[in-house]
Amino acid sequence: MPEKWTGDLLGRMHLAGITAKELAAEAGLNDKYVSLLMNGHRNPKGAEAKLNAAFERLIQRKESV
């Protein structure tokens, strides 16, 4: 079962127009692996922080354009 943070992140991604592929690229991860994380099939230590940090960088980049 996915963790709450993945649902929160997916919602913020949707509102910001950020795709999972963009998030994966920013985090330096394979998009299929990010899918496994977001769907609760993997839960490595630090995944939440890494993906949230990548999301924040993408948002900052979008806002500065």
Side-chain angles (χ1 to χ4, degrees):
M1 177 173 211
E3 299 215 15
K4 182 183 179 312
W5 70 266
T6 62
D8 293 340
L9 180 56
L10 280 172
R12 291 186 295 149
M13 288 169 59
H14 176 73
L15 292 173
I18 293 173
T19 68
K21 285 188 181 221
E22 290 173 312
L23 182 68
E26 183 64 32
L29 300 170
N30 180 287
D31 59 322
K32 293 186 186 324
Y33 184 66
V34 169
S35 177
L36 290 172
L37 296 172
M38 299 301 281
N39 288 301
H41 298 290
R42 299 281 187 276
N43 190 19
K45 186 176 182 177
E48 178 180 2
K50 185 170 191 162
L51 292 180
N52 278 313
F55 174 80
E56 292 301 325
R57 289 192 301 271
L58 288 168
I59 290 295
Q60 288 175 356
R61 203 169 301 132
K62 277 190 166 203
E63 290 175 351
S64 68
V65 173

